[in-house]
Amino acid sequence: NAGVTQTPKFQVLKTGQSMTLQCAQDMNHEYMSWYRQDPGMGLRLIHYSVGAGITDQGEVPNGYNVSRSTTEDFPLRLLSAAPSQTSVYFCASRPTSEAGELFFGEGSRLTVL
Amino acid sequence: AQSVTQPDIHITVSEGASLELRCNYSYGATPYLFWYVQSPGQGLQLLLKYFSGDTLVQGIKGFEAEFKRSQSSFNLRKPSVHWSDAAEYFCAVGAESGGGADGLTFGKGTHLIIQP
């Protein structure tokens, strides 16, 4: 009964390094998304996908890339990390037919020095 | 554009007392409204949702919320809080799915502190 699984849970990067946050779901959900959570800012949508091969930008996409080669996986890539990307990242999914309700992973805390 | 306002950043309530967390939204059509709870170090868990019908909705853990269209509000209530209710609470508004690919728009959250 895994649900949405994110790895790693914690990561420290130096400015300019690249990395990928992994997200996998086993619920056969078509819709997947990435949010970042910052103090006093709530959650802001970075990128989302409505199915394999389809991705789109959310509210704060700059500095992030995504791809969706399978229904299960939706990795988030930081090509050149910046201190402004220090945040907690959440992956979430839902069945496209189910309006709005999202199922969240436990989060990945990223620190960029 | 849709938006959500949670006016209270922090709320402190004594254990056993009643609770009301405020949420106001802005949305051009009939909104889909949600309350999520986040315990420390955890992801978000859905407490309840409103899509249509009865404007008073019941959720998990004894929570309820009332949709008031005239006030553009969706306040969360609980008659008697427990120490385990201490957490961050997020109100969110979303669009109807089925082709709509929008994510949810979240409020900035209300941090609930429970006093013994």
Side-chain angles (χ1 to χ4, degrees):
Chain A
N1 208 17
V4 179
T5 303
Q6 292 182 232
T7 57
K9 293 193 186 311
F10 301 95
Q11 183 72 48
V12 179
L13 291 178
K14 295 181 180 179
T15 297
Q17 287 185 315
S18 62
M19 79 155 300
T20 299
L21 298 177
Q22 302 291 345
C23 176
Q25 53 92 9
D26 61 359
M27 297 174 282
N28 201 32
H29 287 172
E30 295 184 35
Y31 179 94
M32 297 185 73
S33 56
W34 278 101
Y35 287 85
R36 60 177 288 173
Q37 183 181 29
D38 302 292
M41 299 294 292
L43 280 84
R44 293 179 291 170
L45 182 65
I46 304 172
H47 284 285
Y48 64 92
S49 169
V50 298
I54 306 169
T55 63
D56 208 343
Q57 296 181 349
E59 178 186 359
V60 288
N62 293 341
Y64 307 95
N65 284 343
V66 292
S67 60
R68 185 92 179 271
S69 56
T70 67
T71 299
E72 294 77 20
D73 300 300
F74 190 45
L76 179 72
R77 297 184 183 85
L78 287 72
L79 297 180
S80 179
S84 61
Q85 294 178 302
T86 294
S87 188
V88 180
Y89 292 85
F90 288 97
C91 180
S93 71
R94 72 164 198 250
T96 304
S97 61
E98 193 74 17
E101 178 183 351
L102 287 170
F103 296 81
F104 284 84
E106 293 190 347
S108 299
R109 182 176 294 275
L110 175 66
T111 301
V112 183
L113 303 176
Chain B
Q2 58 202 42
S3 65
V4 177
T5 301
Q6 294 181 245
D8 304 305
I9 298 174
H10 300 278
I11 282 188
T12 301
V13 178
S14 298
E15 189 169 15
S18 63
L19 170 70
E20 183 170 32
L21 302 182
R22 295 183 291 165
C23 172
N24 293 98
Y25 67 90
S26 174
Y27 191 68
T30 299
Y32 286 36
L33 295 160
F34 308 84
W35 274 99
Y36 282 85
V37 60
Q38 183 183 32
S39 298
Q42 300 295 313
L44 279 72
Q45 180 185 20
L46 182 71
L47 281 176
L48 48 78
K49 60 187 178 185
Y50 172 78
F51 290 170
S52 64
D54 191 347
T55 56
L56 183 63
V57 293
Q58 302 297 320
I60 62 171
K61 305 185 180 185
F63 286 92
E64 66 178 26
E66 186 172 12
F67 170 60
K68 293 185 177 180
R69 185 187 301 276
S70 61
Q71 299 177 16
S72 297
S73 69
F74 189 57
N75 294 349
L76 182 71
R77 301 194 294 250
K78 187 170 185 178
S80 176
V81 298
H82 186 263
W83 64 266
S84 60
D85 293 324
E88 192 84 14
Y89 291 80
F90 292 94
C91 182
V93 62
E96 182 177 359
S97 72
D102 296 344
L104 297 183
T105 297
F106 286 84
K108 295 183 178 181
T110 297
H111 184 60
L112 176 63
I113 300 167
I114 306 296
Q115 282 185 335

